[in-house]
Amino acid sequence: MPRKKKQTKPLTGKDLVAKVKQLSDYTREEKAKACGYISADKDGSERIKTIAFLNALLDAEGIDLDSQSPNGNGNSGRKASYKVSVQSNGNILVGRTYTQALELEPGDEFEIAVGRKHIHLTKVA
């Protein structure tokens, strides 16, 4: 039965970035192996953990691929369509998404200007 090699902790952060820059002529797999992103299989063979290496490199560079939505609340939910319909009672409802984007508060007042085929809302100071 093959002896297990002592697992060393893989490089992270600034140390990882520095090592990768140092090994610029190496392949991706060689860089991952040199930075400690390997594991031993049951049969004693080595497995290079390329995805873990690339994720650690992204983290070290401060790149977040799982970022939250642009408004920062983390809820993607429905997207604003920028279209409204006239309701059965004749009202037009402007949703919360639009009022939040404009940083409107309850009680804000607007002047309504009706054109031929449009309505303009102008905030009263």
Side-chain angles (χ1 to χ4, degrees), residues 19-72:
K19 183 74 170 183
V20 168
K21 286 181 181 177
Q22 200 176 49
L23 305 172
S24 62
D25 295 339
Y26 286 43
T27 66
R28 180 184 311 176
E29 288 78 16
E30 290 170 334
K31 289 175 187 175
K33 188 174 180 179
C35 293
Y37 287 87
I38 54 174
S39 64
D41 285 344
K42 290 179 182 179
D43 64 357
S45 63
E46 284 184 344
R47 173 173 284 176
I48 300 171
K49 300 190 287 186
T50 310
I51 298 297
F53 166 69
L54 293 174
N55 285 335
L57 192 56
L58 286 171
D59 289 342
E61 290 286 350
I63 300 169
D64 184 15
L65 297 178
D66 297 325
S67 64
Q68 295 180 350
S69 65
N71 60 10

Side-chain angles (χ1 to χ4, degrees), residues 2-15:
R3 282 186 8 196
K4 289 188 176 181
K5 292 182 181 178
K6 183 181 176 186
Q7 290 286 336
T8 59
K9 190 174 180 182
L11 296 175
T12 57
K14 292 178 183 176
D15 296 335

